[in-house]
């Protein structure tokens, strides 16, 4: 079960930009995630094709399960 922390932002074109972090520490510290997202926006350390990241949209844990099928 692979898990990812997805940080979703809006850029200058009001389009969603996702930054994924593999194997997040759980339980997720919402305060730390919120602060990290604020810092990413403040520092302007990521750039998208639609411009700078200007606001937070959401953060979530995504889990992917793979089950093999016998052929």
């Amino acid at each position: 079960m692979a898990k990812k922390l997805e940080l979703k932002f809006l850029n200058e074109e009001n389009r969603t930009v996702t930054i994924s972090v593999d194997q997040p520490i759980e339980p997720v510290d919402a305060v730390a995630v919120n602060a990290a997202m604020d810092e990413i926006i403040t520092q302007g350390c990521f750039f998208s094709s639609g411009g700078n990241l200007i606001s937070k949209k959401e953060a979530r844990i995504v889990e992917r399960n793979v089950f093999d099928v016998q052929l």
Side-chain angles (χ1 to χ4, degrees):
M1 293 183 277
K3 291 186 178 182
K4 291 185 177 192
L5 171 62
E6 290 187 347
L7 308 176
K8 295 186 175 279
F9 299 88
L10 294 177
N11 64 17
E12 293 172 319
E13 292 181 348
N14 205 35
R15 295 169 62 190
T16 301
V17 176
T18 303
I19 297 172
S20 297
V21 179
D22 292 334
Q23 301 177 346
I25 296 171
E26 294 190 87
V28 173
D29 182 344
V31 173
V33 170
N34 197 40
M37 292 179 80
D38 286 339
E39 194 65 23
I40 288 169
I41 292 170
T42 300
Q43 295 295 322
C45 52
F46 292 99
F47 185 77
S48 70
S49 59
N52 291 323
L53 307 181
I54 58 170
S55 66
K56 296 177 284 188
K57 182 175 180 184
E58 68 177 340
R60 64 185 185 179
I61 296 288
V62 176
E63 182 174 353
R64 179 175 176 255
N65 296 309
V66 177
F67 301 97
D68 291 330
V69 175
Q70 293 291 330
L71 301 177

